[in-house]
Amino acid sequence: KKYNDTEIAAVDIILRYHADFSSEEANIWIEKRIGADRRLVQRNRLEHDSKYNSSYASELMESLSLDDLLHLSGSMREKVAEVLPHT
C-alpha cells in the first residue's frame, strides 16, 4: 500500500509530542493501526523532525500546532485523535 509521507509524519509527531508516546510506541501504533512499517516511519522522521535531522538547525514539522498536525494527518485524523488526552 502507498502511504502519504506527510500524513504519516504528522501522525508520528502527534503521537510522540502530544500523546507522550515513545518513538518505539509510535512505531508500533502506526504499524498496527495504519499499516506503515517502521522503516517508512523512521525515514519520515529524518525528513520531517529536526530531532532526527541534524542538517536543520531550526524546527521542522514538530513546531506546528496540534490543530495543524491534525489537519495534515488527513485520512488518519480520526484514528490518531482517539489517543490524544482530552482536556
Side-chain angles (χ1 to χ4, degrees):
K1 182 176 178 176
K2 185 106 169 124
Y3 298 98
N4 179 306
D5 286 349
T6 301
E7 289 183 0
I8 295 288
V11 168
D12 181 45
I13 288 170
I14 289 168
L15 292 173
R16 291 183 297 111
Y17 286 83
H18 297 279
D20 293 326
F21 280 45
S22 69
S23 295
E24 183 60 20
E25 288 169 333
N27 285 342
I28 292 166
W29 191 95
I30 290 169
E31 193 163 16
K32 281 185 177 177
R33 287 171 185 78
I34 297 169
D37 68 15
R38 78 179 51 243
R39 287 185 321 202
L40 175 65
V41 174
Q42 290 167 337
R43 257 194 328 271
N44 279 345
R45 285 179 187 156
L46 291 173
E47 186 175 339
H48 296 286
D49 187 343
S50 63
K51 184 176 171 182
Y52 293 88
N53 186 330
S54 58
S55 57
Y56 285 93
S58 61
E59 294 180 335
L60 295 171
M61 203 170 189
E62 75 278 5
S63 66
L64 296 174
S65 71
L66 178 58
D67 285 341
D68 287 342
L69 289 166
L70 285 167
H71 177 73
L72 289 172
S73 67
S75 64
M76 303 168 199
R77 180 181 179 143
E78 284 186 23
K79 285 182 184 177
V80 75
E82 292 174 4
V83 302
L84 290 172
H86 296 288
T87 53

